[in-house]
Amino acid sequence: MLRCLLGSRKRAAVVVAFWVLIAGLLAGVAPALESVEDNASANLPPAASDSMKARALVRAQLPGQDATPAIIVVRGEGTDAAASAGEAVTRITSALSESTRPDHVASVISTVTAPDAVAELVSQDRSAQLVIVPMTGSPSDESFQHAVDEVRALAADRAGPTEVAVTGPAGIATDTVKVFSGGDKVMLLATILLVLVILLAVYRSPLMALVPLLAVGVAMRVAETTGALLADAGIITVSSQTASIMTVLLFGVGTDYALIITARYREALLDETDRPRAMQTAVRRTTESVLAGALTIVLAMFALLVAVSPALHGFGPYLALGVAVMAPVAFTFVPALILLLGGSVFWPGGATKAAERSRGTGVWHRVAALVARAPVRVGMAVVALLVVMSAGLLGYHESFNTLGGFRAATESERGQHLIQEKFGPGEIAPGTVVVRSRDDLRSGTAPAAIAAALAGVDDVGRVGRHPRFGPDGTTVFYDVVLSLDPYSSKALDAIGPLKETARAAADAAGVTGTTVFIAGETAQTADIRSALDRDTTFIVFLVLAIVTAVLILLLRSLLAPLYLVATLLLSFLATLGATTFLTVTVLGDEGIGNRVTAYIFVFLVALGVDYNIFIMSRFKQELRTLPPDKAISAALTRTGGVVSSAGLILAATFAVLMTQPIRELFQFGFAMAFGILLDTFLIRPLLVPAIVRLLGDHALWPARPSRKTPPTPAVAPPAGGTTIPTGRLLRAFTRIAVIEACTWAGLLIGMYVKYIPKTTELGVRILGTLHGAAFIAYLLLTVLVAIRLKWRLGRTTLFALLAAIPPFMTVAFETWARRTGRLTEPTPAPHPSPSA
């Protein structure tokens, strides 16, 4: 295949023309990506959740409830604020009731049109009033957003001396689209400029720097148009946030793959003057590692399909599509374009100088020498630094407030602050308690009894005076306003007790067949939180299983995937800790965005393992001719420059997300940039080589180096006694380490079952006992192996610290559960091991 595609410049020209033709044809038939984006469903709970069932009942049985309301808040100024607010509301109501009112405006609810609703529409000091404007149509349509802008302009024109702001679901949806659209162009331009500057510094050739950018452009066009066709057909969903992340992901991984292939091409030119043959050699030698990295990312993205929350479920397929397109483009378009450009691609330095640079720079020789001299001290220093960074998790908590996540001033946020100030925090997002039964509730005392019970619940500010009934009378709707910030954790926790109170009151009143649902922003957010908690747990274990499986297949090893995955987990904890410290503790964010943690884990593990794959694949190749200590040094030296350049580019592209005025994207961009730099400059060049050097011939256990080496003389047993053979001891050591890791994973699952749903503690007790026994056995074997193999104290301490990682993460789990309110009872010891 390589000879067919890259056998000559003519064949390379055909390959380039093929991709350009495909991109052009798809662009001609596909709709614009913006026209098929779905930004609404990503912020909703699962369709089967109680809040969505309640929402469907409200829309089906209460006329006019299928509209999206815009809320106009008017605050009077001066000594006669109440009169000025009333006059402004009269003028605004009149303008919105005329035949020339903006499209999509269905009706107007104010003190003018609904005098009996004064208690709900006027603040206690009478200085502020609300005007509710139900709007028809989809908030994602441009015409709807234009209508909201017209309502805002009209309200500002009629407000006179009063302060006015338009908020509510209609205003928030419109502002969200504006915030995203305003940052897309800046992000794309910044990404291109950053990548171009770094590529120029790496290649020192303008044409070579343009090759990866052209490849990314082709892949992005193919992926976007294919994604638009799939979204238009209803097969996948694409949101503005997903599209933004796709841009930086393709720039990052695309340039990474191009760097890896071109680096091997320059290296092949040292031994092969024929450029097509050199390129075939380069592609053949990088195929395994690059495809393994791409496969890991694609499978990790598809792992999100197990999620029930739309925010995660719809996130993966489009990004998986992008990487699946980028990989073949990198393997065909990039080599073909380089061959097509010929020797000019290395201008002005020339091919000889470019090939010489592939031998590795002096800095990576020094790094390899440092790891060779003191692998224990290097490994311990890196682990200690990562643990310190993880301490930032002590300030971890999540935020579910969408408006609070905007880093740009919006009118809807200003309106919400006015409502909170004048009407109370809960008024910005009232809820609806829906009670269904088999009986007709329009007669009898049950509706009043339920209303009284709801009014007596803690944290309930008020209950609507007049419950509303469905057409057949078997369903009754209560408007309930909490006295809390409706997006706070305390408000989300109040949904369950509110539901139980309504059910108990209905049962006490003799209502049969009672079913209770709650509709509204708070109830939906509570269901989103529950779904995300469930999804994150499943995704973490599934992604780890995928990464482990890919590493096992690639390296033909059972031990290497374990310590490589352990380094990824340490990197993730350190990254999340540093992100929490910066954004929450230092910058004062309300919390980590509710989906950010899952995004960080999936992307950081999937992308971070790429660099481990690159160095370990090269290590495996070098083992054919070199002993393990020299093989890892050669792998580090040869991959150091190119992988560090790739990591720097990938980190820079994700850092561009920090230019977006969205809290979630800012946090995600910082976390990815920080985590990738950790993987690039600490994990891959220091920690992984240190572990490999310590393990020696056992680094790829059970695989052993195929080269012929003199057998290591056995250590003579002491007089008068016997010892365990070294091979058997190491096998026992490895097996008990695996057992400890597995029992710790099971312990975390048991802790989740006990502490989150609070159903049973049997799993924690059983797995805790097993894990404690495995932990003690691991420490004893560590000491035994250290004595048998004459390890120094430093090496022994390092392996003992590795055993302490699972208990440390268990403590972090409990701390998180406490801080987020999921664990309220006194916490028992997670397991009986000394590490607890």
Side-chain angles (χ1 to χ4, degrees):
M1 184 185 70
L2 290 176
R3 285 194 299 271
C4 177
L5 298 178
L6 307 173
S8 66
R9 293 183 68 179
K10 288 183 179 180
R11 296 178 182 179
V14 173
V15 173
V16 172
F18 168 79
W19 280 111
V20 173
L21 181 63
I22 289 294
L25 290 176
L26 287 173
V29 299
L33 185 63
E34 294 80 4
S35 65
V36 295
E37 287 179 352
D38 179 8
N39 295 309
S41 62
N43 296 314
L44 293 175
S49 60
D50 285 354
S51 60
M52 293 300 286
K53 294 177 182 177
R55 181 192 188 201
L57 283 171
V58 170
R59 292 188 171 188
Q61 299 199 20
L62 297 181
Q65 294 300 310
D66 56 343
T68 304
I71 301 176
I72 305 175
V73 53
V74 180
R75 182 172 67 176
E77 303 288 346
T79 56
D80 198 4
S84 64
E87 292 169 1
V89 166
T90 301
R91 293 192 296 269
I92 293 171
T93 302
S94 176
L96 290 174
S97 301
E98 296 172 354
S99 59
T100 58
R101 67 181 182 269
D103 294 337
H104 298 281
V105 172
S107 61
V108 184
I109 303 172
S110 68
T111 54
V112 177
T113 61
D116 58 339
V118 169
E120 289 81 12
L121 298 176
V122 180
S123 64
Q124 289 187 352
D125 63 1
R126 310 193 67 81
S127 65
Q129 293 191 29
L130 301 179
V131 179
I132 313 298
V133 185
M135 303 187 67
T136 59
S138 172
S140 61
D141 293 341
E142 288 187 14
S143 59
F144 182 95
Q145 297 156 19
H146 181 66
V148 172
D149 290 337
E150 289 183 334
V151 170
R152 283 175 166 165
L154 187 148
D157 182 62
R158 301 294 196 278
T162 62
E163 182 179 4
V164 64
V166 178
T167 183
I172 293 172
T174 300
D175 285 341
T176 301
V177 173
K178 287 182 178 179
V179 168
F180 269 107
S181 61
D184 282 344
K185 294 179 180 178
V186 175
M187 184 191 69
L188 181 59
L189 180 61
T191 303
I192 294 174
L193 289 177
L194 264 177
V195 173
L196 182 59
V197 169
I198 297 174
L199 287 175
L200 285 172
V202 171
Y203 287 129
R204 305 173 194 177
S205 169
L207 286 179
M208 185 66 90
L210 287 175
V211 168
L213 292 180
L214 292 174
V216 170
V218 170
M220 185 176 295
R221 196 61 180 154
V222 172
E224 283 183 353
T225 50
T226 306
L229 288 171
L230 294 175
D232 192 44
I235 299 174
I236 66 173
T237 58
V238 180
S239 66
S240 298
Q241 198 171 69
T242 310
S244 297
I245 294 175
M246 169 72 99
T247 300
V248 298
L249 178 64
L250 285 190
F251 269 98
V253 300
T255 51
D256 276 10
Y257 297 159
L259 280 167
I260 299 299
I261 293 170
T262 54
R264 272 304 181 96
Y265 174 55
R266 291 183 297 172
E267 190 176 328
L269 287 175
L270 291 171
D271 303 317
E272 177 62 68
T273 57
D274 183 76
R275 286 175 180 156
R277 283 202 294 267
M279 182 59 78
Q280 293 171 40
T281 300
V283 174
R284 185 170 59 252
R285 289 178 177 175
T286 56
T287 297
E288 189 178 52
S289 59
V290 174
L291 285 184
L295 179 64
T296 303
I297 299 173
V298 170
L299 292 178
M301 295 300 106
F302 276 123
L304 294 173
L305 291 176
V306 304
V308 297
S309 54
L312 294 179
H313 185 85
F315 191 74
Y318 182 55
L319 298 176
L321 169 66
V323 177
V325 170
M326 189 70 250
V329 169
F331 272 116
T332 56
F333 182 87
V334 169
L337 186 57
I338 291 175
L339 290 179
L340 189 61
L341 292 173
S344 61
V345 77
F346 296 112
W347 179 85
T352 303
K353 287 186 178 180
E356 286 297 327
R357 287 199 300 271
S358 68
R359 297 184 187 275
T361 59
V363 64
W364 293 109
H365 286 285
R366 291 192 290 272
V367 171
L370 171 65
V371 176
R373 286 196 309 271
V376 173
R377 281 177 288 178
V378 169
M380 290 179 63
V382 174
V383 171
L385 182 60
L386 294 175
V387 170
V388 170
M389 292 177 181
S390 302
L393 289 172
L394 295 175
Y396 179 89
H397 59 276
E398 296 176 348
S399 172
F400 290 85
N401 188 348
T402 302
L403 275 183
F406 290 163
R407 292 181 176 271
T410 61
E411 184 173 339
S412 45
E413 184 179 18
R414 181 165 59 88
Q416 285 207 356
H417 288 159
L418 287 174
I419 294 175
Q420 288 178 317
E421 178 185 345
K422 290 297 181 180
F423 293 86
E427 294 289 348
I428 61 175
T432 303
V433 177
V434 183
V435 179
R436 302 194 72 188
S437 74
R438 290 194 292 266
D439 307 323
D440 191 334
L441 299 174
R442 286 173 290 192
S443 59
T445 61
I450 295 173
L454 291 174
V457 174
D458 292 340
D459 302 322
V460 169
R462 67 175 180 85
V463 177
R465 293 179 301 168
H466 304 294
R468 293 169 290 174
F469 294 91
D472 58 0
T474 60
T475 307
V476 59
F477 304 86
Y478 298 90
D479 294 326
V480 177
V481 176
L482 299 176
S483 58
L484 304 167
D485 178 352
Y487 302 102
S488 65
S489 295
K490 195 172 182 181
L492 305 186
D493 295 338
I495 293 298
L498 194 64
K499 190 183 300 184
E500 293 301 322
T501 297
R503 184 178 291 109
D507 292 343
V511 179
T512 59
T514 304
T515 304
V516 179
F517 301 116
I518 299 180
E521 290 287 321
T522 305
Q524 289 183 11
T525 305
D527 285 339
I528 289 173
R529 184 179 70 174
S530 299
L532 286 174
D533 287 344
R534 175 262 182 201
D535 291 343
T536 302
T537 303
F538 277 95
I539 288 169
V540 164
F541 287 104
L542 183 56
V543 170
L544 289 179
I546 290 171
V547 170
T548 304
V550 170
L551 289 173
I552 290 174
L553 293 174
L554 176 68
L555 301 177
R556 308 294 193 272
S557 168
L558 295 178
L559 178 59
L562 295 181
Y563 60 77
L564 292 177
V565 169
T567 63
L568 292 174
L569 289 174
L570 270 178
S571 176
F572 165 70
L573 290 175
T575 298
L576 189 57
T579 303
T580 302
F581 178 76
L582 175 71
T583 60
V584 177
T585 306
V586 177
L587 297 182
D589 283 354
E590 291 183 10
I592 298 295
N594 53 82
R595 292 167 286 185
V596 171
T597 301
Y599 291 166
I600 293 172
F601 180 83
V602 172
F603 276 86
L604 195 59
V605 170
L607 293 174
V609 77
D610 268 7
Y611 301 133
N612 286 331
I613 285 174
F614 294 150
I615 190 172
M616 293 301 289
S617 296
R618 189 58 182 262
F619 168 65
K620 189 178 175 184
Q621 293 176 14
E622 298 292 344
L623 276 176
R624 297 169 184 169
T625 56
L626 296 173
D629 56 342
K630 289 184 171 55
I632 191 62
S633 295
L636 176 56
T637 302
R638 288 298 181 91
T639 64
V642 63
V643 174
S644 297
S645 300
L648 189 61
I649 289 176
L650 189 59
T653 55
F654 275 103
V656 172
L657 288 174
M658 297 171 66
T659 64
Q660 293 285 77
I662 310 291
R663 175 190 59 205
E664 279 76 9
L665 288 181
F666 180 91
Q667 294 174 344
F668 177 66
F670 171 81
M672 288 305 302
F674 186 87
I676 289 167
L677 291 177
L678 279 184
D679 284 330
T680 303
F681 295 103
L682 284 181
I683 304 293
R684 176 196 52 84
L686 297 177
L687 183 58
V688 170
I691 295 174
V692 170
R693 285 192 64 89
L694 291 174
L695 293 174
D697 284 345
H698 303 282
L700 296 178
W701 183 89
R704 299 294 296 271
S706 58
R707 57 184 170 76
K708 299 296 182 179
T709 57
T712 303
V715 178
T722 60
T723 61
I724 303 174
T726 301
R728 188 184 305 171
L729 189 61
L730 286 174
R731 286 195 293 273
F733 180 78
T734 303
R735 288 167 183 165
I736 201 66
V738 172
I739 292 173
E740 198 218 6
C742 293
T743 54
W744 166 71
L747 175 62
L748 278 188
I749 297 174
M751 290 177 66
Y752 180 86
V753 171
K754 176 187 175 183
Y755 293 147
I756 308 305
K758 300 176 184 175
T759 55
T760 178
E761 60 181 57
L762 180 62
V764 175
R765 289 182 177 178
I766 294 175
L767 289 166
T769 303
L770 292 174
H771 177 63
F775 179 83
I776 295 172
Y778 181 95
L779 290 181
L780 292 176
L781 276 172
T782 299
V783 175
L784 185 58
V785 171
I787 295 172
R788 180 68 180 84
L789 301 183
K790 298 183 179 180
W791 283 356
R792 294 183 178 180
L793 180 60
R795 179 181 294 193
T796 308
T797 306
L798 176 61
F799 276 93
L801 285 175
L802 289 175
I805 292 173
F808 172 79
M809 294 177 66
T810 303
V811 173
F813 175 91
E814 293 197 58
T815 302
W816 166 79
R818 282 184 176 280
R819 295 188 68 89
T820 54
R822 294 165 174 80
L823 177 59
T824 55
E825 74 270 17
T827 310
H831 54 70
S833 74
S835 64

